Amino acid sequence: MPSLIDMRRRIRAVRSTQQITKAMKMVAASRLRRAQERVLATRPFAQQARQVLSSIASRVDPSAHPLLERRPGAERGPMLVIAIAADRGLCGSFNTNVIKTVSGLIVENQGRPLSLGLVGRKSRDFLGRRGLPVRFDYVNLPKIIGYVEAEAIAQPAVEDFMSGKVDSVVLVYNEFKSVIQQQVVVEPLLPFRPESLPPGEASAVEYTFEPSPERILDVLLHRLVVAQVLRALLESNAAFFAAQMTAMDAATRNSTEVIESLTLEMNKIRQAAITREIIEVVSGAQAQ
Amino acid sequence: MALPKHLRLEFVTPERAIAHEEVDELQLPGEEGYFGVLPGHAPLLAALRTGEMWYRRGQDVQYAFVDGGFAEVLPDRVSIMAQVAERAEDIDIQRAEAAKRRAEDALSKPSLADAEAERTRIAMLRAITRLNVARRSRRQL
């Protein structure tokens, strides 16, 4: 039977763990709010870009652009899978879900040449050992994810696609549905599909193009690809904090339960010790 | 058709919206040179390069740093979709100065490969433009 002191020590240990999980939950909650705002802040760009794209579509045939090219046999052709997870754990099944989905993709596409782009330490450490060629990895994401990071990730994907090394590129990441729900999505990145943008009103205005419609379309499409990667990164970031918040909340509640049952146990032990002492005193008095 | 009196400026980057306001006049760094826009401008779609931009409302001029992207100009509305942009007051001068010094050091080495030198020159251009924008807006204050 554990002694009273042992029980007290265990309760203290659980309580300090609880304090940590509670603090982490609070930090995650405040970061989540900011992360959500950043996701929303990417919308105006996508909307306006979509509008411009539809204006250009009336002048140049956008489907002729190499970033939009759908190659025959692409479903069986080489594919680059970009897996976006987090650098840190303690966030429930956030990282596991991404890894599981990617592993599923790998099994499904056996025999098809796959390469991986791994974002986040958890993704690199696990998926990097699958024996598939790793095109790039990107760990230690900064606290504030911006265009530069998204470009660093989009760059190799665009290069491989344009050079014909791969016929398609997909993103796998956690989409932020709500605070309690994150969902892993597999989203095609290249060939780029303009339909994936929120719709904008097409304008019938006759523009002057400077330097040329082709050049604008080229610039626009490249930006849009990066913007899509950026959105995925920010969604994943928001989902991470949501997952961490939920996980830490569960941990805090769980430790309350553990403390309760340990306290009960401790009281039983204390009561048993007191009873034993009384019996000893009483039987000692009787013996005299 | 009467000319519109103001321009509605929508200034966004993939990261965030920079400005959303009514302006009287603005200037942008087009890929083929700087151009100004007044209300009633002919519809234009222009690619942008690294440079300074400003917009004016009455006497109040705002400067900003723009790095690539493009602008859609309509008679009563200008949408700027920059890949990176910062208002003058948001520019981190120390960081820009450090970047400029780094680029200068790198360029002073004779062993630099061509592609590397090109990248460094672009980085230097960015840093110098940022500093110029920041300085312009401070002088005005």
Side-chain angles (χ1 to χ4, degrees):
Chain A
M1 199 153 85
S3 72
L4 210 48
I5 293 180
D6 286 341
M7 292 304 287
R8 289 226 173 94
R9 244 181 234 145
R10 278 184 66 189
I11 291 174
R12 213 182 309 141
V14 175
R15 192 163 286 144
S16 55
T17 308
Q18 186 186 33
Q19 260 157 12
I20 294 170
T21 56
K22 207 190 252 169
M24 282 182 78
K25 179 194 149 192
M26 248 110 84
V27 171
S30 78
R31 293 241 176 102
L32 169 64
R33 206 167 318 128
R34 249 171 296 157
Q36 265 177 287
E37 279 162 19
R38 293 177 61 77
V39 174
L40 289 180
T42 63
R43 282 211 186 133
F45 182 87
Q47 256 154 16
Q48 285 193 20
R50 170 82 200 223
Q51 258 172 45
V52 173
L53 194 61
S54 36
S55 329
I56 298 182
S58 55
R59 303 289 293 282
V60 230
D61 180 16
S63 57
H65 194 275
L67 281 177
L68 300 167
E69 185 196 348
R70 284 176 201 196
R71 299 181 189 141
E75 316 78 58
R76 305 294 319 154
M79 175 164 78
L80 173 67
V81 180
I82 301 179
I84 302 174
D87 278 333
R88 286 172 300 152
L90 291 177
C91 50
S93 54
F94 178 86
N95 292 314
T96 326
N97 285 345
V98 170
I99 289 169
K100 242 191 261 164
T101 309
V102 174
S103 300
L105 271 180
I106 294 173
V107 173
E108 258 170 57
N109 290 293
Q110 225 138 36
R112 178 179 180 186
L114 290 184
S115 50
L116 299 174
L118 305 175
V119 181
R121 188 173 295 125
K122 296 285 167 187
S123 150
R124 181 196 66 180
D125 289 354
F126 187 88
L127 293 167
R129 289 173 219 265
R130 288 297 304 240
L132 287 169
V134 175
R135 174 65 173 87
F136 65 91
D137 59 42
Y138 195 95
V139 294
N140 291 331
L141 283 158
K143 254 190 206 132
I144 296 170
I145 297 164
Y147 188 84
V148 184
E149 287 76 38
E151 198 173 32
I153 292 161
Q155 187 67 36
V158 170
E159 261 169 36
D160 280 10
F161 183 78
M162 300 280 267
S163 69
K165 257 194 238 160
V166 297
D167 286 341
S168 55
V169 180
V170 294
L171 291 170
V172 181
Y173 65 97
N174 275 285
E175 192 182 30
F176 178 82
K177 285 254 166 193
S178 71
V179 177
I180 46 160
Q181 202 193 0
Q182 300 88 40
Q183 197 173 21
V184 178
V185 289
V186 179
E187 195 175 80
L189 178 67
L190 294 170
F192 193 72
R193 297 183 316 169
E195 311 90 70
S196 62
L197 295 167
E201 60 209 71
S203 53
V205 193
E206 283 287 297
Y207 288 98
T208 315
F209 289 90
E210 195 187 284
S212 65
E214 291 78 14
R215 170 85 183 118
I216 304 249
L217 179 68
D218 188 54
V219 174
L220 178 67
L221 286 174
H222 276 95
R223 299 287 172 277
L224 281 172
V225 171
V226 180
Q228 195 183 341
V229 173
L230 179 67
R231 203 183 55 87
L233 286 175
L234 293 173
E235 288 263 2
S236 167
N237 192 40
F240 169 78
F241 288 122
Q244 185 166 55
M245 198 179 102
T246 319
M248 289 300 110
D249 187 45
T252 308
R253 255 181 291 134
N254 191 26
S255 49
T256 311
E257 263 169 51
V258 171
I259 288 172
E260 263 169 33
S261 70
L262 281 177
T263 311
L264 183 68
E265 190 81 0
M266 185 191 75
N267 286 339
K268 275 187 194 158
I269 292 168
R270 198 187 52 198
Q271 196 55 55
I274 293 169
T275 314
R276 204 173 52 238
E277 269 171 42
I278 292 175
I279 291 172
E280 273 166 20
V281 171
V282 171
S283 57
Q286 274 173 351
Q288 273 175 358
Chain B
M1 196 180 82
L3 283 181
K5 291 214 169 55
H6 302 291
L7 288 161
R8 204 167 78 232
L9 173 66
E10 312 265 4
F11 190 0
V12 296
T13 72
E15 288 172 42
R16 60 177 194 272
I18 303 263
H20 175 90
E21 53 195 288
E22 296 266 302
V23 300
D24 292 333
E25 185 187 359
L26 62 101
Q27 192 189 48
L28 287 168
E31 209 159 69
E32 297 185 327
Y34 281 87
F35 61 92
V37 181
L38 287 164
H41 198 286
L44 167 76
L45 265 175
L48 303 177
R49 64 185 169 89
T50 310
E52 305 165 22
M53 71 86 72
W54 55 258
Y55 52 92
R56 182 179 65 81
R57 161 131 195 125
Q59 296 295 310
D60 179 29
V61 185
Q62 268 286 341
Y63 291 90
F65 166 78
V66 176
D67 186 13
F70 45 90
E72 180 194 28
V73 178
L74 292 171
D76 59 345
R77 187 158 60 93
V78 178
S79 313
I80 304 170
M81 280 153 272
Q83 62 175 321
V84 174
E86 283 153 27
R87 283 156 169 274
E89 61 265 30
D90 296 335
I91 291 174
D92 186 341
I93 295 184
Q94 259 133 39
R95 206 177 129 198
E97 254 159 14
K100 186 181 157 203
R101 235 170 294 129
R102 247 194 336 270
E104 277 167 354
D105 288 350
L107 284 175
S108 66
K109 288 190 198 105
S111 59
L112 211 57
D114 278 359
E116 187 61 32
E118 188 53 37
R119 257 203 301 282
T120 316
R121 262 192 285 276
I122 292 170
M124 184 142 145
L125 176 68
R126 285 203 184 108
I128 292 173
T129 314
R130 274 202 173 91
L131 289 173
N132 284 345
V133 172
R135 235 168 257 142
R136 245 178 236 289
S137 109
R138 301 234 148 95
R139 189 179 307 147
Q140 202 208 352
L141 291 176

